[in-house]
Amino acid sequence: MARLFGTDGVRGLANRDVTAELALRLGTAAAHELGSARHETRRRSRAVVGRDPRASGEFLAAGVTAGLASAGVDVIDLGVLPTPALAHLVTELDCDLGVMISASHNPMPDNGIKFFQRGGLKLDDAVEDRIEAWLDQPWDLPTGAAVGRVRVDNGSAVDKYVQHLIGSVGTTFDYRPLDGLRIAVDAANGAASVVGPEALRAAGADVVVMNASPDGRNINEKAGSTHPEQLQAVVVAAIADFGVAFDGDADRCLAVDHTGALVDGDKILGILAKSLKTKGALPDDTLVVTVMSNLGLLLAMRDEGINTVQTAVGDRYVLEEMRAHGYGIGGEQSGHIILAEHATTGDGVLTALHLAAEVKRSGKKLADLAGSIQRLPQTLVNVRGVDKARVDSDEGLASAVAAAEALLGDTGRVLLRASGTEPMVRVMVEAATQQQADGVADSLAATVRERLAL
């Protein structure tokens, strides 16, 4: 039987894969696994539940809430808010767990359920496995006064989150650090449709807002970080200093400079890491990235005296590395960026604020800041129908990879990754020129087909 939890919670087609029944059972199971922290204080456990604006989120949040309350957990229903807001409020509201109903950047028909433990942290695999095991274990539910109570928040909790965001860039009653900046915001008709523009305005920016009218069906629809084309046009037309694009649950942020050019997560990471180093606030002068970050970022950081540590793909693995060694910043090319001083997960609005603050502090255009990080040409070839299990053990393939790496030298990189869900191997090559990247990738893909044939 396949594992229920994926790389970021439980996700699938709403009402088919992710059902109200599953939400109820997961809520009850999570209460049993995560809701015991209050026992020594003789106070009931407490949880926060939030969602993005998808229509299916309404019944899924109700299901999770019912499961938690039936297991004796008091629930605060936060309504629609970004995933990082929920993670922050787990701690801010002194809760034992949080549950976010969202499928992030996925299309509207999908939805997901992801959990945060005390401290606002995502769960590791072992905890997820224990929750999954509880789904099939009967246990006694409370009755009478011992059942959990449900309270709908009046918006004050989200206000606390906004104050946390703007405070992170030094906003006060008489100081607004983004005064004079004009920023276009694409909210993806998602969870940050109100919070994103509100936070940037509170910090002093003149905000041009787009795709901030969620109706339950239009989340991520040709909008946000997965579809930046509209933002690129609006930034130029509105003569904005730059633009930012969130995804459906606002845990990622991409940017667009004043010319309409895309500034991806790698470049944002490089800009913010350099800024922290300049301020003497970059622990161990280290940036944490994944193996999919472009070599151009690694080379640019080396030139700035900044070390880079690479992890497996996934912001949870980035955070694990950061927490293990006390690093301050890490993230992914997709725009998941973690600023450890202020957040326990990727936060798109937080990223936008700090990027804007660096533009203002430096007195430079975003295009100039991003221009110091040159993206190397990259080619990705998906080789399907092969034995992916042998990708790391086949000697002939290893020899071909070594030869390719020797050919590319310090100006290129090779990465072979087995797909987690298909009989497929991904061949990624970066090189000094697109022609060289294409040639090496095609050659390695042919070797993969030959050596790993089923």
Side-chain angles (χ1 to χ4, degrees):
M1 180 177 173
R3 187 172 186 268
L4 180 64
F5 284 87
T7 56
D8 198 17
V10 178
R11 191 177 295 186
L13 182 60
N15 223 22
R16 187 73 53 79
D17 305 313
V18 184
T19 64
E21 178 190 20
L22 177 60
L24 177 73
R25 293 170 62 217
L26 280 170
T28 306
H32 196 77
E33 177 62 33
L34 301 172
S36 59
R38 296 280 182 203
H39 289 179
E40 68 276 9
T41 66
R42 298 183 181 177
R43 194 168 89 186
R44 275 204 300 244
S45 297
R46 185 159 56 204
V48 283
V49 174
R51 61 184 178 86
D52 70 26
R54 293 164 211 266
S56 59
E58 297 167 1
F59 73 77
L60 290 173
V64 166
T65 297
L68 290 166
S70 74
V73 176
D74 289 336
V75 179
I76 305 171
D77 181 354
L78 298 174
V80 174
L81 80 170
T83 291
L86 181 126
H88 173 74
L89 290 168
V90 169
T91 298
E92 180 73 20
L93 300 179
D94 192 25
C95 291
D96 302 291
L97 69 152
V99 189
M100 183 68 187
I101 311 299
S102 175
S104 190
H105 60 282
N106 282 29
M108 184 277 289
D110 290 346
N111 217 326
I113 303 171
K114 49 188 166 185
F115 295 92
F116 293 85
Q117 60 191 325
R118 193 166 184 81
L121 300 170
K122 290 183 178 180
L123 312 184
D124 61 31
D125 290 344
V127 177
E128 290 178 340
D129 288 342
R130 290 199 295 272
I131 291 175
E132 189 168 341
W134 276 114
L135 292 175
D136 300 317
Q137 298 295 321
W139 53 291
D140 291 334
L141 293 173
T143 60
V147 301
R149 303 298 299 274
V150 180
R151 174 172 67 84
V152 178
D153 184 73
N154 61 5
S156 61
V158 176
D159 289 342
K160 290 178 185 290
Y161 170 65
V162 173
Q163 290 303 311
H164 161 70
L165 289 175
I166 62 177
S168 75
V169 289
T171 305
T172 63
F173 177 76
D174 56 358
Y175 172 65
R176 304 202 306 169
L178 306 188
D179 273 341
L181 288 181
R182 190 171 208 209
I183 304 173
V185 175
D186 185 342
N189 291 310
S193 292
V194 174
V195 169
E198 179 182 339
L200 288 163
R201 286 196 185 101
D206 172 20
V207 181
V208 179
V209 183
M210 55 187 294
N211 296 318
S213 301
D215 62 9
R217 301 180 300 275
N218 60 358
I219 187 170
N220 296 322
E221 186 177 354
K222 298 181 181 178
S225 61
T226 54
H227 296 280
E229 302 84 6
Q230 190 179 160
L231 177 64
Q232 290 172 299
V234 168
V235 166
V236 175
I239 317 177
D241 291 287
F242 65 96
V244 292
F246 308 129
D247 65 335
D249 69 337
D251 65 352
R252 65 172 70 181
C253 172
L254 297 182
V256 171
D257 70 25
H258 72 288
T259 71
L262 185 66
V263 179
D264 67 10
D266 278 350
K267 293 196 173 188
I268 295 173
L269 282 166
I271 292 168
L272 295 181
K274 288 168 62 177
S275 174
L276 289 170
K277 186 172 188 293
T278 298
K279 299 170 186 174
L282 183 64
D284 288 342
D285 289 339
T286 297
L287 168 66
V288 182
V289 298
T290 76
V291 293
M292 291 303 290
S293 278
N294 192 272
L295 179 61
L297 171 63
L298 278 60
L299 296 176
M301 294 298 94
R302 183 188 65 185
D303 293 344
E304 295 290 334
I306 296 174
N307 307 311
T308 50
V309 175
Q310 292 179 281
T311 74
V313 175
D315 64 323
R316 63 190 294 184
Y317 303 113
V318 172
L319 181 60
E320 285 175 5
E321 183 71 19
M322 292 172 66
R323 286 176 56 79
H325 301 282
Y327 299 136
I329 180 173
E332 299 183 282
Q333 192 179 88
S334 61
H336 282 116
I337 295 171
I338 304 169
L339 297 170
E341 183 180 355
H342 308 291
T344 59
T345 188
D347 189 326
V349 181
L350 181 73
T351 298
L353 284 163
H354 282 259
L355 182 63
E358 178 58 17
V359 170
K360 185 68 183 290
R361 185 202 68 80
S362 68
K364 298 180 179 179
K365 292 185 178 297
L366 178 59
D368 296 327
L369 294 175
S372 65
I373 304 162
Q374 295 299 317
R375 178 180 174 83
L376 291 184
Q378 183 184 90
T379 300
L380 179 65
V381 180
N382 292 327
V383 185
R384 302 178 188 276
V386 294
D387 182 4
K388 64 181 182 180
R390 293 192 287 119
V391 68
D392 294 323
S393 60
D394 184 85
E395 294 183 2
L397 183 57
S399 297
V401 169
E405 290 175 334
L407 175 66
L408 296 171
D410 292 337
T411 61
R413 186 165 67 108
V414 172
L415 178 66
L416 269 58
R417 291 179 58 234
S419 168
T421 58
E422 301 177 72
M424 179 174 74
V425 171
R426 294 184 173 92
V427 178
M428 190 271 283
V429 176
E430 292 168 345
T433 67
Q434 189 64 59
Q435 182 179 10
Q436 186 179 34
D438 291 344
V440 173
D442 288 343
S443 176
L444 282 175
T447 303
V448 169
R449 290 188 190 95
E450 176 187 348
R451 300 291 308 184
L452 306 186
L454 292 172

